[in-house]
């Protein structure tokens, strides 16, 4: 089985795994314990916090560790709403946000907040005119993911941050798909908060983080917590944090190399689809606004779920969108944001590349997709002929 679902999760890096085991066995103390063993864990925790804060070019006082991106999105949004820059109850969000954001917003709507969802243009980017026209005097929060997890388009975070600042609006951005693939050091200080996750960058599952600008006097959603300055309850997972830090150091060190590699693999894969190009629609932006390792596409007339199962049968792991959404058997959020109809949405598939991906592998996948499509269309024609004869 050849893996092409790196946007869903990545394998654990060997050095990160080694760090996890070492810390779990040698630095097992509770960071809140007052004895020396607890103190050693606390010291290591703060060292990791400082290292990651430097990787983002942010103040470490605003960096908190969570169980992952979904919890980070939840805690950030709640924190910003607990300390708005002005009075109001209106939120602006991207229509294609991760399901964790949609889940929070759904609950907030029941609590009296109003939410305006911004669609994407045909090239998968935020409709900025729509966003600007949606701002009201009572708008207190904008939440827009940096990179879409299903088609890989890169949203203009710098421009949105400027708009938010001018209108005294908090701005949260989901950095889960961008951290480790894009240099975010110029963007991270501009937002009110952002989230990130370990298992998207070859770190462990169940660990991530959230940054909340230290100037914001947020109030905890969960009362009585003593860990992570009260942001969340529960003993801090120091082994996973150490492993996350190692994984982050490694992936940041190869940003340019990865970009070049994934751009080549992306172009190669799309070229192999040339024989069926009239049936293929790839959703993408210009190169400077497109994460190369995520390819979101659909093949006219073929359901994405069927294509995924056929690829799986032939030894390739691809997906039909965000893994957090698939379990609900709902179309990928991005298909709605792009304005696709129900049948078109069902045709969506996602192919995502990773460190182990090779040119030979993407060519073989592309050729396999071509064969599947040609066989499907031939079978469809035969069925139609048979139907006419009957």
């Amino acid at each position: 089985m050849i893996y092409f679902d790196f946007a869903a999760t990545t394998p654990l890096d060997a050095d990160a795994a080694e760090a996890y085991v070492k810390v779990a066995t040698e630095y097992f103390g509770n960071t809140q314990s007052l004895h020396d063993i607890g103190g050693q864990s606390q010291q290591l925790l703060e060292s990791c916090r400082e290292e990651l804060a430097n990787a983002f070019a942010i103040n470490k006082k605003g960096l908190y560790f969570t169980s992952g991106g979904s919890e980070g999105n939840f805690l950030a949004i709640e924190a910003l709403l607990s300390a708005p820059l002005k009075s109001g109850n209106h939120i602006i969000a991207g229509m294609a946000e991760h399901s964790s954001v949609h889940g929070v917003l759904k609950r907030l709507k029941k609590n009296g907040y109003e939410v305006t969802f911004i669609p994407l243009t045909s090239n998968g980017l935020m409709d900025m005119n729509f966003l600007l026209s949606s701002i009201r005097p009572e708008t207190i929060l904008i939440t827009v993911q940096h990179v879409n997890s299903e088609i890989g388009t890169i949203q203009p975070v710098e421009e949105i941050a400027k708009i938010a600042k001018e209108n005294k609006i908090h701005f949260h951005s989901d950095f889960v798909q961008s951290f480790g693939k894009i240099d975010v050091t110029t963007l991270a200080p501009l937002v009110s908060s952002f989230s990130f996750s370990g298992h998207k960058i070859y770190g462990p599952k169940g660990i991530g983080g959230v940054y909340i600008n230290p100037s914001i006097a947020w109030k905890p959603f969960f009362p009585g917590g003593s860990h992570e300055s009260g942001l969340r309850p529960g003993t801090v997972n120091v082994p996973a944090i150490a492993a996350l830090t190692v994984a982050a150091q490694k992936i940041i060190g190869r940003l340019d190399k990865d970009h070049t590699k994934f751009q080549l693999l992306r172009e190669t894969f799309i070229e192999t689809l040339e024989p069926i190009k009239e049936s293929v629609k790839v959703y993408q932006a210009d190169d400077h606004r497109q994460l190369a390792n995520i390819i979101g596409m659909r093949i006219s007339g073929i359901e994405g779920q069927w294509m995924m199962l056929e690829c799986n049968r032939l030894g390739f792991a691809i997906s039909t969108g965000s893994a957090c959404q698939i379990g609900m058997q709902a179309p990928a959020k991005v298909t709605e944001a792009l304005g696709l109809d129900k049948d078109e949405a069902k045709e969506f598939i996602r192919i995502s590349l990773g460190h182990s991906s090779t040119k030979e592998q993407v060519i073989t996948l592309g050729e396999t997709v071509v064969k599947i499509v040609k066989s499907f269309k031939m079978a469809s024609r035969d069925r139609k002929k048979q139907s006419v004869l009957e």
Side-chain angles (χ1 to χ4, degrees):
M1 178 68 71
I2 302 176
Y3 191 68
F4 283 107
D5 199 15
F6 290 89
T9 194
T10 58
L12 181 60
D13 175 82
D15 292 331
E18 184 179 344
Y20 184 97
V21 173
K22 181 177 177 63
V23 173
T25 53
E26 298 180 20
Y27 294 82
F28 57 86
N30 189 316
T31 57
Q32 294 293 293
S33 298
L34 299 179
H35 46 63
D36 287 352
I37 293 176
Q40 290 170 355
S41 295
Q42 177 66 20
Q43 188 174 9
L44 177 59
L45 171 66
E46 293 311 315
S47 177
C48 290
R49 195 188 310 277
E50 183 169 4
E51 183 67 33
L52 285 168
N54 289 337
F56 284 109
I58 55 172
N59 187 333
K60 69 176 183 178
K61 291 181 180 179
L63 182 59
Y64 308 95
F65 293 107
T66 68
S67 66
S70 292
E71 185 190 22
N73 285 331
F74 166 76
L75 291 174
I77 290 171
E78 291 292 349
L80 297 182
L81 291 178
S82 76
L85 297 174
K86 58 184 179 181
S87 60
N89 69 335
H90 181 236
I91 299 169
I92 294 174
M95 192 179 288
E97 295 302 296
H98 188 263
S99 58
S100 61
V101 172
H102 279 279
V104 178
L105 297 177
K106 185 177 180 180
R107 185 182 61 79
L108 290 171
K109 286 169 73 174
K110 292 180 180 178
N111 291 343
Y113 287 89
E114 294 182 38
V115 181
T116 299
F117 291 102
I118 309 299
L120 300 178
T121 58
S122 59
N123 61 356
L125 297 176
M126 185 66 57
D127 187 331
M128 295 303 294
N129 289 329
F130 197 130
L131 188 150
L132 280 167
S133 65
S134 298
I135 293 175
R136 310 176 191 169
E138 63 270 23
T139 304
I140 56 174
L141 173 67
I142 296 173
T143 176
V144 174
Q145 62 189 175
H146 185 197
V147 168
N148 182 269
S149 61
E150 290 154 339
I151 60 174
T153 47
I154 304 169
Q155 303 304 332
V157 165
E158 188 171 7
E159 185 179 350
I160 298 171
K162 184 174 183 291
I163 292 168
K165 185 176 181 181
E166 289 172 350
N167 290 275
K168 294 185 178 179
I169 300 169
H170 282 315
F171 175 31
H172 170 69
S173 189
D174 177 343
F175 279 13
V176 167
Q177 286 293 346
S178 59
F179 179 52
K181 291 96 171 177
I182 299 172
D183 182 357
V184 296
T185 54
T186 59
L187 302 178
L190 302 179
V191 301
S192 305
S193 64
F194 65 80
S195 57
F196 63 98
S197 180
H199 75 105
K200 306 291 188 181
I201 60 167
Y202 304 87
K205 295 174 177 62
I207 193 66
V210 62
Y211 167 77
I212 304 171
N213 191 307
S215 67
I216 299 171
W218 53 268
K219 299 177 182 64
F221 183 83
F222 300 105
S226 59
H227 294 278
E228 293 302 276
S229 301
L231 182 68
R232 68 185 296 267
T235 303
V236 179
N237 190 348
V238 179
I241 291 168
L244 162 63
T245 305
V246 170
Q249 289 171 327
K250 290 187 70 173
I251 201 168
I252 289 170
R254 54 183 295 170
L255 280 177
D256 291 339
K257 180 181 177 182
D258 282 348
H259 174 76
T260 301
K261 171 185 175 177
F262 293 140
Q263 192 63 45
L264 173 62
L265 294 183
R266 180 188 186 89
E267 292 169 0
T268 300
F269 173 74
I270 293 174
E271 284 173 8
T272 64
L273 302 179
E274 184 72 16
I276 57 168
K277 64 179 182 179
E278 70 283 352
S279 300
V280 175
K281 170 64 178 177
V282 178
Y283 295 95
Q284 59 186 346
D286 295 335
D287 287 350
H288 73 289
R289 284 290 174 196
Q290 178 66 50
L291 195 66
N293 73 305
I294 296 179
I295 305 167
M297 55 183 279
R298 65 182 181 87
I299 299 171
S300 179
I302 300 180
E303 284 199 11
Q305 189 170 6
W306 187 85
M307 176 60 74
M308 182 268 292
L309 292 171
E310 278 296 285
C311 285
N312 186 71
R313 183 177 66 83
L314 296 169
F316 300 94
I318 68 170
S319 80
T320 55
S322 170
C324 295
Q325 190 71 20
I326 290 168
M328 293 181 267
Q329 297 299 308
K333 287 290 183 187
V334 74
T335 61
E336 180 185 0
L338 288 166
L340 304 188
D341 64 33
K342 187 177 179 181
D343 290 335
E344 290 172 333
K346 286 182 179 179
E347 295 168 351
F348 184 82
I349 59 172
R350 179 185 68 184
I351 290 145
S352 46
L353 312 169
H355 288 167
S356 62
S357 303
T358 66
K359 185 175 181 180
E360 292 73 22
Q361 287 176 346
V362 299
I363 290 173
T364 305
L365 173 63
E367 291 173 346
T368 300
V369 170
V370 169
K371 289 177 184 176
I372 291 171
V373 173
K374 286 185 174 181
S375 296
F376 179 88
K377 298 206 169 188
M378 187 177 296
S380 295
R381 284 195 294 268
D382 289 345
R383 284 194 298 270
K384 287 179 180 178
K385 286 181 182 179
Q386 187 63 33
S387 177
V388 171
L389 291 173
E390 292 174 353

